[in-house]
Amino acid sequence: MKKFNFRKVLDGLTASSPGSSSGSNSGGGAGSGSTHPTGTAGILREEIQETLTSDYFQICKTVRHGFPYQPTTLAFDPVQKILAIGTRTGAIRILGRPGVDCYCQHESGAAVLQLQFLINEGALVSASSDDTLHLWNLRQKKPAILHSLKFNRERITYCHLPFQSKWLYVGTERGNTHIVNIESFILSGYVIMWNKAIELSTKTHPGPVVHLSDSPRDEGKLLIGYENGTVVFWDLKSKRAELRVYYDEAIHSIDWHHEGKQFMCSHSDGSLTLWNLKSPSRPFQTTVPHGKSQREGRKPESCKPILKVEYKTCRNSEPFIIFSGGLSYDKACRRPSLTIMHGKAITVLEMDHPIVEFLTLCETPYPNEFQEPYAVAVLLEKDLIVVDLTQSNFPVFENPYPMDIHESPVTCTAYFADCPPDLILVLYSIGVKHKKQGYSNKEWPISGGAWNLGTQTYPEIIITGHADGSIKFWDASAITLQMLYKLKTSKVFEKQKVGEGKQTCEIVEEDPYAIQMIYWCPESRIFCVSGVSAYVIIYKFSRHEITTEIVSLEVRLQYDIEDIITPEPETSPPFPDLSSQLPSRSLSGSTNTVASEGVTKDSIPCLNVKTRPVRMPPGYQAELVIQLVWVDGEPPQQITSLAVSSAYGIVAFGNCNGLAVVDFIQKTVLLSMGTIDLYRSSDIYQRQPRSPRKNKQFIADNFCMRGLSNFYPDLTKRIRTSYQSLTELNDSPVPQELERCKSPTSDHVNGHCTSPTSQSCSSGKRLSSADVSKINRWGPGRPPFRKAQSAACMEISLPVTTEESRENSYNRSRSSSISSIDKDSKEAITALYFMESFARKNDSTISPCLFVGTSLGMVLIISLNLPSADEQRFTEPVMVLPSGTFLSLKGAVLTFSCMDRTGGLMQPPYEVWRDPNNIDENEKSCRRKLVMNCPSPSQEIGDHQYTIICSEKQAKVFSLPSQTCLYVHNITETSFILQADVVVMCNSACLACFCANGHIMIMSLPSLRPMLDVNYLPLTDMRIARTFCFTNEGQALYLVSPTEIQRLTYSQEMCDNLQDMLGDLFTPIETPEAQNRGFLKGLFGGSGQTFDREELFGEASAGKASRSLAQHIPGPGGIEGMKGAAGGVMGELTRARIALDERGQRLGELEEKTAGMMTSAEAFSKHAHELMLKYKDKKWYQF
């Protein structure tokens, strides 16, 4: 445990500005820098013990939720009852009972063509588009590849593995069939060449192999289907074709009748043909299920191809014929469908998405028995459904997996770990009332594997925002995911009529209700969202249904340009007449600022809130809707930051134009101000007209920027400014601010101070970015540059004499600097944070504050003056006062947090939840119960707290109220931070950052000591940047694909316990016995000989395959790899115990089978003896 000293510099004795330290950059772009106090006089030493070390951290993926992205194939183990899905990206998802969900990935990333389970063996074979076969071991919680076989000269098209066989049939594009030993993954010398399979008289190539299956009646016969319509029944022993079938339409799939005498084919013309082995010259039956009936003697009308057919028999009913496709061409608008033919009944199930593949789930794994189908698993492009075949209306099963995350595209995410335990039950009880009905009443049939809760017990909730305006709450406890509650935010708005969209919603043509940001307070249950159409909705949670009108507010948020300068003329223009000034224009970058009808849009919201009373069911109910409006023909800019305080009853949000603060208790606007106006004198409400400067020399004096770093909109460069000695501009007394709030130039709405944007000067010329370099030159008598502290930051010493001159100089220099920057580099509000803190340098007590961070690295603290008595909060006005405090960092500000003097993380105050619609509670008391999370309402003089601020380039720790920068860590110079959060880990706070170059970095607090730096995931898609989020207890997540959420942990403890939390894919289950076929069926129903594949395909009889044909690649999951990975006595003992258990299980099964055979033999002997006695004394003529 290491101790760190914090030094508090006494006010007034600081000799220099806060220093920073730059460290050497690692290869990943992360900087490591030492941190130190910045002052040396009047130091007060305090010790804080940091308990976190680098041993607490490790990056590890935990589980992946959602629907597999771009699925390609499907497989099912009927004994283990687990399902596998392959994807185009080389991923495999294996699903069992809820909680059993495993993700595997081929290193090559090649698409998965086909999957084959080794039924009840705990193994899986995958065929990839790079012509490689892989054998996966499923007897471990994280499946691994045991063997791989790479085909060099032929392309794989189809695979078939007979039940309880170790020989895999592999069909290729050339029409050949190869055989692979599953145990050794070595190619057999036995090959069925296409030219041997077809007749010698055939002049054309039959095409690729599209089907392989052994006969249910005789394992020594193999059915080979070729694409051009040829079917060959191959005798494996005699190595010749026993019969051949020809059809003039291409074949897509084949399936056997369980007796092995008939098989059914699906064709490209939408027809089904049934063939009998006794008469292979023509089909026994031909049907076009969806074709129009024609006159006798005419060929049925062709339809769309039937891509797959399955022919399943039942003991007590007609067989099921299930196929996909085959619809008539004249029904082009019909959705993809699955057709179920049962007897004379034909049922067409229309799907929401195209069908990728389907499988019929049957009771028995034996192909020569009645199949008894009970369900159909249908894999769609964006969904997985299972249809119940045991009921006549064919209902679907309720899917227990979170396969509908992408029901509407995910636009943002939020992750909350260790939240109040009652929330999950409350949300579920509300959400279950709105669940869809009509599901099958039977249990989910994919019920394999085993899973337990493990050691992790704290509740977790994930919130996803979607493009259609919906919000979904998910229970994410114990690495599972289950939907709790769904909220539709679009219900507060009127539905747009056709033709109205372009008049009001020009800023977004599609998805005007898309969720952009989420803010949730689990303790107070206050929920707030911002949408792409520049609106904010505040929700309160209630258990009771109400019918009420929705309150809405409209806010004008404009970006003003002041002090527009021209460096050209030598004569200064006169002061402009206020009446001749042009209205200021918002720099939105939009060129279409005038409506089509020629009227400039102004004060028009993007969406229309419902004005009639609205019924709100139990759950989250809209409390207030805030909309930004058009200003002088410019559309409102999208919201970039959002924060809510339930204790203060205030919501704050900002965009690239400015900041707005709203009181959602009294439903009034407290502040609406452009970003530039926030930097004027401490009286931000004063509105005085300004004139341009008189000469270029004075312009150069005031055009002082601390530094410029290149960071443009392509995420590599952006113009950024920072300012020197900003922390000294904070000494404006409170009484003057209160007095100035009452000035006639500021507006008062319902007793609250509001701040309309001021008018800008019409004369003068706006500087372009190229002009900056021309005027930013030092004239005679100018102070020189100081030594640069980093490659991207240079300091300029400003001669400051009095407080007034400092304020005026700062205001002039800032507005002139901003006016010369390009439109795209407007200073946006990027971070907001409510906290009880020290608003000013000389404060001795904490008070409600709002921290504001901007895209140029500036931090402003705004003081909130709330009524002292709780009863007055509903009637007395709330004063929003500038504190005059400014702090600076490099890069856009991302996050804030505060720590007390002991190093404990301070949580923002909140209001304890109470049902706003509970009549009994309202009658008893309306008093709000607040939790302040502070040691005491007033702290002694000398007490302090630490503020952590992280930007996209660096992190700083300030001591308040002295505003001394204690620690600086330059996180990266070559990249930028996408997401940063202060999180709790093992009861200690740390700073977690995700960098655009893929690095995940953890730093201790408050010393900013690097604890972890791992190159985890490069930024390949903006989806990752938009959805990546950290939370407490070492958890994080991001949207890895449009349909999947990837969860990960940076906790060493969770990485160690992950194996206990994951489900088991394989559980020991006895293979069901084959049905007794009877004496006569066994004698006359098929081949009585046992087919020995080992003797036929083994090296002794078939020889070795050519080495150039395929290459064997040992997998990392093989025995050698497992031994190397385990590397200890415990691993060897565990494997030995597992081997002994399996051997004992097999011996037990063998003993049971032997006993059964002995019983059958005794019964047969008894019956034979009775038969002999019956006919013993009879003569030959009596028979």
Side-chain angles (χ1 to χ4, degrees):
M1 186 180 297
K2 193 171 182 180
K3 297 182 179 179
F4 295 91
N5 294 329
F6 289 95
R7 302 175 174 87
K8 181 178 180 183
V9 183
L10 298 180
D11 296 337
L13 298 179
T14 305
S16 61
S17 63
S20 64
S21 59
S22 61
S24 60
N25 290 338
S26 63
S32 58
S34 60
T35 54
H36 53 81
T38 57
T40 56
I43 296 175
L44 175 64
R45 297 178 179 271
E46 293 184 2
E47 292 186 354
I48 294 180
Q49 294 182 345
E50 292 185 357
T51 58
L52 293 178
T53 64
S54 58
D55 297 334
Y56 284 78
F57 301 96
Q58 181 183 346
I59 296 292
C60 177
K61 291 181 180 180
T62 54
V63 68
R64 183 172 292 199
H65 301 298
F67 180 75
Y69 184 54
Q70 295 180 333
T72 55
T73 186
L74 190 67
F76 181 70
D77 187 328
V79 179
Q80 289 289 323
K81 295 190 182 300
I82 56 177
L83 187 79
I85 301 174
T87 71
R88 197 176 301 171
T89 59
I92 299 176
R93 285 281 292 281
I94 305 174
L95 305 171
R97 68 176 66 248
V100 178
D101 188 343
C102 181
Y103 169 81
C104 316
Q105 176 69 47
H106 293 90
E107 291 184 0
S108 64
V112 180
L113 297 179
Q114 195 175 354
L115 295 172
Q116 285 274 319
F117 275 105
L118 277 68
I119 296 176
N120 204 27
E121 293 291 336
L124 176 71
V125 175
S126 62
S128 303
S129 60
D130 59 353
D131 307 310
T132 306
L133 298 174
H134 305 276
L135 178 64
W136 295 82
N137 178 21
L138 306 184
R139 293 181 178 241
Q140 54 195 54
K141 294 193 174 184
K142 286 190 174 181
I145 295 177
L146 296 172
H147 301 281
S148 296
L149 188 65
K150 169 74 173 175
F151 281 75
N152 298 322
R153 295 186 297 183
E154 297 194 56
R155 308 215 64 180
I156 299 173
T157 57
Y158 195 86
C159 298
H160 170 65
L161 180 65
F163 178 49
Q164 294 181 331
S165 171
K166 67 175 184 179
W167 297 95
L168 175 71
Y169 301 109
V170 181
T172 67
E173 193 175 31
R174 292 184 180 180
N176 302 325
T177 302
H178 301 274
I179 301 172
V180 179
N181 187 314
I182 290 298
E183 293 180 349
S184 60
F185 238 58
I186 296 176
L187 205 60
S188 170
Y190 192 108
V191 183
I192 305 174
M193 305 299 291
W194 68 270
N195 54 355
K196 298 288 184 64
I198 65 175
E199 289 183 342
L200 295 177
S201 59
T202 305
K203 297 180 180 180
T204 58
H205 191 279
V209 176
V210 296
H211 177 81
L212 291 168
S213 61
D214 55 339
S215 170
R217 190 180 185 187
D218 187 354
E219 297 176 350
K221 307 292 176 60
L222 183 67
L223 193 69
I224 307 173
Y226 295 95
E227 189 180 54
N228 72 339
T230 301
V231 180
V232 177
F233 196 49
W234 184 265
D235 190 332
L236 293 170
K237 289 183 179 179
S238 61
K239 299 182 181 180
R240 65 179 181 85
E242 186 171 305
L243 60 88
R244 297 179 180 90
V245 168
Y246 298 97
Y247 196 70
D248 55 359
E249 293 291 342
I251 292 177
H252 285 279
S253 69
I254 303 175
D255 200 19
W256 279 100
H257 187 280
H258 82 277
E259 291 180 351
K261 298 178 182 179
Q262 297 175 344
F263 61 88
M264 182 174 287
C265 302
S266 67
H267 300 277
S268 58
D269 64 344
S271 64
L272 296 174
T273 55
L274 185 63
W275 299 82
N276 196 316
L277 295 181
K278 292 183 178 180
S279 56
S281 58
R282 63 186 188 129
F284 174 73
Q285 183 181 351
T286 302
T287 58
V288 183
H290 294 293
K292 291 183 179 179
S293 59
Q294 301 286 341
R295 294 180 181 178
E296 294 183 4
R298 296 186 60 184
K299 187 178 179 180
E301 179 189 15
S302 62
C303 296
K304 296 179 182 178
I306 295 179
L307 302 179
K308 185 176 181 180
V309 63
E310 292 204 350
Y311 188 22
K312 303 301 178 184
T313 55
C314 303
R315 185 180 299 275
N316 300 319
S317 65
E318 295 290 330
F320 280 92
I321 300 174
I322 305 170
F323 61 89
S324 60
L327 295 179
S328 177
Y329 279 106
D330 62 354
K331 298 178 181 178
C333 297
R334 287 188 62 174
R335 295 186 294 179
S337 64
L338 183 78
T339 304
I340 301 175
M341 300 174 62
H342 189 211
K344 295 182 179 180
I346 300 179
T347 304
V348 179
L349 304 179
E350 292 188 343
M351 305 294 170
D352 294 331
H353 309 284
I355 297 175
V356 177
E357 191 175 353
F358 71 90
L359 283 175
T360 307
L361 312 186
C362 302
E363 295 288 352
T364 177
Y366 296 95
N368 57 355
E369 298 178 354
F370 284 102
Q371 300 299 290
E372 302 295 346
Y374 59 89
V376 179
V378 187
L379 179 64
L380 308 178
E381 279 190 359
K382 295 183 178 180
D383 201 0
L384 172 69
I385 65 172
V386 181
V387 181
D388 187 357
L389 294 179
T390 62
Q391 300 183 40
S392 58
N393 59 340
F394 302 128
V396 298
F397 291 90
E398 184 178 4
N399 198 328
Y401 313 126
M403 293 291 184
D404 57 345
I405 291 176
H406 63 285
E407 184 179 12
S408 175
V410 177
T411 55
C412 61
T413 59
Y415 194 5
F416 300 87
D418 203 11
C419 48
D422 61 328
L423 269 179
I424 292 179
L425 183 60
V426 168
L427 291 172
Y428 179 78
S429 63
I430 297 296
V432 74
K433 299 176 183 177
H434 305 285
K435 277 194 173 183
K436 296 179 181 179
Q437 304 297 324
Y439 291 112
S440 173
N441 53 10
K442 294 190 176 182
E443 293 184 359
W444 179 252
I446 305 169
S447 56
W451 178 76
N452 52 21
L453 287 174
T455 57
Q456 181 181 339
T457 56
Y458 54 83
E460 300 173 73
I461 291 179
I462 293 174
I463 304 177
T464 55
H466 299 265
D468 63 350
S470 61
I471 303 286
K472 293 182 180 180
F473 292 77
W474 305 84
D475 177 12
S477 306
I479 68 170
T480 61
L481 197 68
Q482 181 183 6
M483 194 169 115
L484 297 173
Y485 173 70
K486 183 177 180 179
L487 173 67
K488 295 181 179 179
T489 62
S490 60
K491 288 188 174 182
V492 304
F493 300 106
E494 297 283 359
K495 291 183 179 180
Q496 294 183 355
K497 297 180 180 178
V498 179
E500 287 188 357
K502 301 218 171 175
Q503 297 179 8
T504 58
C505 288
E506 290 189 10
I507 60 173
V508 279
E509 295 180 358
E510 297 181 358
D511 300 321
Y513 308 111
I515 304 299
Q516 207 167 18
M517 302 185 74
I518 293 173
Y519 193 98
W520 188 44
C521 178
E523 290 80 11
S524 64
R525 303 184 187 178
I526 290 288
F527 185 66
C528 186
V529 298
S530 68
V532 71
S533 296
Y535 64 83
V536 172
I537 308 177
I538 302 168
Y539 289 90
K540 287 187 176 181
F541 189 85
S542 175
R543 296 177 183 268
H544 304 278
E545 179 180 317
I546 60 170
T547 300
T548 183
E549 292 186 359
I550 301 173
V551 182
S552 64
L553 290 176
E554 295 180 357
V555 177
R556 293 174 64 90
L557 201 55
Q558 190 176 11
Y559 186 86
D560 282 342
I561 298 291
E562 299 229 7
D563 286 349
I564 303 179
I565 315 162
T566 174
E568 299 174 1
E570 289 141 35
T571 64
S572 61
F575 286 95
D577 186 7
L578 291 180
S579 62
S580 64
Q581 291 182 359
L582 297 175
S584 58
R585 182 172 176 269
S586 172
L587 296 181
S588 66
S590 174
T591 57
N592 183 19
T593 61
V594 180
S596 57
E597 52 268 11
V599 180
T600 301
K601 294 185 179 181
D602 190 71
S603 301
I604 301 175
C606 297
L607 301 173
N608 296 322
V609 179
K610 291 180 178 178
T611 55
R612 62 183 183 277
V614 177
R615 185 187 69 86
M616 298 183 184
Y620 275 105
Q621 300 167 350
E623 176 78 7
L624 178 65
V625 180
I626 309 166
Q627 289 183 285
L628 297 180
V629 297
W630 287 66
V631 178
D632 297 333
E634 291 290 341
Q637 300 299 305
Q638 294 181 0
I639 294 169
T640 57
S641 57
L642 177 67
V644 182
S645 173
S646 60
Y648 306 154
I650 295 176
V651 58
F653 58 92
N655 59 12
C656 62
N657 285 342
L659 173 69
V661 181
V662 175
D663 182 349
F664 64 81
I665 293 180
Q666 299 186 33
K667 312 294 191 300
T668 56
V669 179
L670 303 178
L671 177 70
S672 175
M673 180 172 288
T675 311
I676 290 180
D677 298 327
L678 296 174
Y679 290 99
R680 297 203 174 105
S681 65
S682 57
D683 176 13
I684 63 175
Y685 300 99
Q686 187 175 3
R687 288 288 176 267
Q688 298 294 340
R690 295 185 169 206
S691 62
R693 301 297 138 214
K694 294 188 178 183
N695 55 62
K696 292 186 288 185
Q697 190 66 39
F698 195 64
I699 294 170
D701 280 339
N702 295 283
F703 195 83
C704 299
M705 291 188 294
R706 185 181 181 185
L708 288 174
S709 59
N710 297 325
F711 189 78
Y712 295 127
D714 58 356
L715 299 181
T716 58
K717 293 185 177 181
R718 179 190 297 161
I719 298 176
R720 176 169 48 246
T721 58
S722 54
Y723 298 89
Q724 189 252 352
S725 301
L726 298 180
T727 56
E728 298 176 0
L729 308 179
N730 56 1
D731 296 328
S732 298
V734 176
Q736 292 182 7
E737 293 169 349
L738 293 173
E739 186 65 23
R740 289 170 181 171
C741 277
K742 301 176 182 178
S743 65
T745 57
S746 63
D747 292 341
H748 292 262
V749 180
N750 298 331
H752 296 260
C753 287
T754 60
S755 51
T757 54
S758 64
Q759 295 176 332
S760 61
C761 297
S762 60
S763 60
K765 181 180 179 181
R766 183 178 295 110
L767 294 180
S768 65
S769 58
D771 297 329
V772 176
S773 59
K774 296 180 182 179
I775 66 174
N776 193 14
R777 297 173 181 171
W778 292 104
R782 304 295 186 278
F785 284 101
R786 291 194 205 172
K787 182 179 178 181
Q789 291 189 349
S790 68
C793 184
M794 294 181 293
E795 288 190 349
I796 304 172
S797 299
L798 297 179
V800 180
T801 54
T802 64
E803 183 67 23
E804 182 179 358
S805 64
R806 280 185 296 177
E807 290 182 0
N808 294 336
S809 174
Y810 171 70
N811 291 328
R812 289 192 299 267
S813 65
R814 177 161 187 85
S815 62
S816 61
S817 302
I818 295 298
S819 66
S820 65
I821 295 177
D822 190 73
K823 292 181 180 181
D824 292 336
S825 61
K826 289 192 298 183
E827 187 170 13
I829 306 298
T830 57
L832 296 168
Y833 182 65
F834 287 99
M835 193 59 186
E836 296 279 319
S837 185
F838 299 94
R840 299 169 182 81
K841 200 168 191 177
N842 296 328
D843 284 356
S844 59
T845 60
I846 59 175
S847 60
C849 296
L850 172 62
F851 288 77
V852 180
T854 74
S855 58
L856 299 185
M858 301 303 300
V859 177
L860 306 88
I861 301 179
I862 295 178
S863 178
L864 308 174
N865 190 0
L866 302 172
S868 56
D870 183 71
E871 295 79 9
Q872 298 176 350
R873 178 64 185 87
F874 298 91
T875 56
E876 294 296 322
V878 176
M879 309 300 291
V880 181
L881 307 173
S883 67
T885 299
F886 304 98
L887 308 172
S888 65
L889 292 86
K890 291 194 301 181
V893 179
L894 299 179
T895 189
F896 299 96
S897 191
C898 289
M899 301 178 73
D900 58 28
R901 59 183 300 176
T902 63
L905 188 64
M906 297 176 60
Q907 299 296 334
Y910 64 88
E911 178 188 2
V912 177
W913 176 79
R914 59 192 179 99
D915 197 327
N917 302 322
N918 194 329
I919 301 177
D920 297 335
E921 288 187 7
N922 290 335
E923 289 179 350
K924 292 179 181 178
S925 173
C926 294
R927 187 174 182 83
R928 302 165 68 226
K929 183 179 180 182
L930 305 181
V931 178
M932 305 308 292
N933 291 321
C934 296
S936 61
S938 63
Q939 298 183 349
E940 299 177 0
I941 297 178
D943 280 7
H944 57 278
Q945 60 181 208
Y946 304 104
T947 299
I948 301 98
I949 308 174
C950 183
S951 72
E952 61 186 7
K953 289 291 185 180
Q954 65 178 188
K956 285 187 178 182
V957 176
F958 291 91
S959 176
L960 298 182
S962 66
Q963 300 176 12
T964 304
C965 181
L966 298 177
Y967 289 92
V968 181
H969 182 73
N970 293 319
I971 301 174
T972 178
E973 292 289 349
T974 60
S975 185
F976 55 95
I977 302 299
L978 292 169
Q979 182 67 32
D981 284 294
V982 175
V983 295
V984 175
M985 174 102 163
C986 300
N987 298 321
S988 297
C990 58
L991 177 64
C993 302
F994 175 57
C995 195
N997 58 14
H999 283 245
I1000 292 180
M1001 291 159 282
I1002 310 293
M1003 283 149 280
S1004 66
L1005 291 177
S1007 67
L1008 297 177
R1009 182 165 45 95
M1011 314 288 286
L1012 178 73
D1013 187 351
V1014 175
N1015 189 2
Y1016 172 74
L1017 175 74
L1019 180 62
T1020 57
D1021 198 317
M1022 283 306 297
R1023 183 194 321 107
I1024 300 174
R1026 188 178 66 246
T1027 58
F1028 199 103
C1029 54
F1030 295 97
T1031 188
N1032 297 331
E1033 307 300 336
Q1035 306 279 4
L1037 65 80
Y1038 60 94
L1039 202 67
V1040 68
S1041 74
T1043 62
E1044 295 171 290
I1045 290 176
Q1046 177 67 58
R1047 292 169 65 180
L1048 62 141
T1049 181
Y1050 48 92
S1051 166
Q1052 177 68 56
E1053 181 182 3
M1054 187 169 182
C1055 290
D1056 295 339
N1057 298 329
L1058 185 59
Q1059 289 293 325
D1060 298 331
M1061 302 170 65
L1062 297 175
D1064 292 304
L1065 295 174
F1066 178 80
T1067 54
I1069 299 175
E1070 183 179 354
T1071 303
E1073 293 186 4
Q1075 296 177 5
N1076 188 6
R1077 303 182 64 191
F1079 176 75
L1080 295 178
K1081 259 193 177 178
L1083 186 61
F1084 301 107
S1087 174
Q1089 303 175 9
T1090 302
F1091 178 64
D1092 190 356
R1093 294 188 179 91
E1094 179 67 33
E1095 180 182 350
L1096 189 61
F1097 303 143
E1099 185 177 337
S1101 58
K1104 292 184 178 180
S1106 173
R1107 292 186 177 180
S1108 61
L1109 184 60
Q1111 177 187 359
H1112 176 258
I1113 305 171
I1119 299 299
E1120 295 81 3
M1122 291 175 62
K1123 286 182 180 178
V1129 179
M1130 294 302 296
E1132 297 290 344
L1133 290 176
T1134 302
R1135 283 194 298 275
R1137 180 178 58 80
I1138 294 174
L1140 287 174
D1141 292 343
E1142 292 178 355
R1143 183 171 180 270
Q1145 179 184 349
R1146 290 173 182 171
L1147 286 175
E1149 293 176 357
L1150 181 61
E1151 184 178 356
E1152 291 176 0
K1153 290 181 180 179
T1154 304
M1157 291 175 63
M1158 290 180 63
T1159 304
S1160 300
E1162 290 177 359
F1164 179 76
S1165 175
K1166 180 180 178 181
H1167 291 147
H1169 183 69
E1170 291 176 355
L1171 188 63
M1172 184 268 295
L1173 293 177
K1174 181 178 179 181
Y1175 295 103
K1176 177 180 178 182
D1177 299 328
K1178 288 188 178 182
K1179 304 298 182 179
W1180 62 271
Y1181 53 83
Q1182 294 177 331
F1183 285 97

